[in-house]
Amino acid sequence: DQQVKQNSPSLSVQEGRISILNCDYTNSMFDYFLWYKKYPAEGPTFLISISSIKDKNEDGRFTVFLNKSAKHLSLHIVPSQPGDSAVYFCAASWKTGNQFYFGTGTSLTVIP
Amino acid sequence: GAGVSQTPSNKVTEKGKYVELRCDPISGHTALYWYRQSLGQGPEFLIYFQGTGAADDSGLPNDRFFAVRPEGSVSTLKIQRTERGDSAVYLCASSIAGGPQHFGPGTRLLVL
């Protein structure tokens, strides 16, 4: 049973435009959410996180939005750059130190 | 500083053999996690250590899988009587309490 879902396996965006990656979850106990970026043959790299007490967290070009009532989070990248091309995973957990539940990933391609 | 390292980076073995996969976490990280990632999927949780003890091993698929962390730093994931279905990328991650998990590059295991 997939508790974290990324329904778009791929996304293509023009350089300079906004990339929006979406993620849905089913477990209302989740209180900590993260986005990871993964290049081929490398492990996932932590990008940005948000706790359930917030609805937005921003770090440079990356902003994560959390809608608890809809059990939905999104990652906005603006402006998108070719180096952002990678697979993006969202992950969720509840309580400190617990395992993360990952989505299946969205492959982002930023076209120069 | 040094990130999470995993050895070997690739391992090819025959069905029925025993393998050991090693993880060196980031210095000072008390929490260590093992995940398994199959093609087209997100990482799936296997086991979590807090210090030397396994705090949660609910993700281990069966008793052929075992992991240790005897001194609270380096961890070894052990797989007995390997099967072709064990072929995957095995990822290790570490974290401080309440922080994001930082992943290593993974070990690509192929069971022939």
Side-chain angles (χ1 to χ4, degrees):
Chain A
D1 180 32
Q2 194 78 21
Q3 298 193 53
V4 177
K5 299 177 184 177
Q6 292 176 258
N7 293 318
S8 297
S10 63
L11 175 68
S12 290
V13 170
Q14 205 72 32
E15 180 179 4
R17 299 289 188 102
I18 184 170
S19 296
I20 300 176
L21 297 101
N22 293 301
C23 179
D24 297 289
Y25 60 96
T26 58
N27 192 333
S28 57
M29 296 282 288
F30 288 145
D31 60 7
Y32 186 46
F33 305 88
L34 307 89
W35 284 94
Y36 283 84
K37 175 179 177 179
K38 186 181 182 306
Y39 293 117
E42 294 183 10
T45 302
F46 168 70
L47 201 54
I48 192 168
S49 65
I50 188 167
S51 79
S52 60
I53 61 173
K54 292 186 171 184
D55 53 19
K56 176 183 174 181
N57 188 27
E58 190 172 351
D59 182 2
R61 296 186 298 114
F62 303 90
T63 303
V64 55
F65 294 92
L66 175 63
N67 183 333
K68 289 185 288 295
S69 60
K71 295 194 182 70
H72 178 84
L73 67 155
S74 61
L75 175 68
H76 293 208
I77 306 173
V78 54
S80 301
Q81 300 173 355
D84 296 329
S85 297
V87 177
Y88 289 78
F89 291 97
C90 71
S93 74
W94 75 89
K95 79 183 181 187
T96 299
N98 205 23
Q99 59 170 294
F100 286 172
Y101 293 84
F102 283 82
T104 51
T106 296
S107 178
L108 173 67
T109 302
V110 180
I111 303 162
Chain B
V4 177
S5 63
Q6 292 185 246
T7 54
S9 53
N10 293 280
K11 177 70 177 178
V12 181
T13 191
E14 294 179 344
K15 180 174 177 290
K17 298 289 188 181
Y18 168 82
V19 296
E20 288 190 353
L21 311 179
R22 176 188 167 107
C23 172
D24 282 82
I26 293 172
S27 178
H29 282 194
T30 56
L32 185 146
Y33 308 78
W34 284 98
Y35 289 82
R36 177 168 71 174
Q37 185 173 17
S38 301
L39 199 61
Q41 300 296 315
E44 293 181 344
F45 171 77
L46 295 176
I47 187 170
Y48 151 54
F49 288 90
Q50 182 60 246
T52 60
D56 182 354
D57 65 357
S58 61
L60 294 178
N62 51 60
D63 61 5
R64 295 187 297 105
F65 288 74
F66 189 71
V68 296
R69 195 186 185 199
E71 297 177 359
S73 178
V74 171
S75 176
T76 304
L77 178 66
K78 308 180 181 192
I79 311 174
Q80 299 177 322
R81 304 183 304 279
T82 51
E83 299 178 356
R84 292 194 181 88
D86 299 334
S87 298
V89 176
Y90 289 81
L91 292 163
C92 176
S94 70
S95 75
I96 57 172
Q101 295 174 19
H102 297 271
F103 284 82
T107 293
R108 283 147 197 81
L109 176 66
L110 177 62
V111 182
L112 300 176

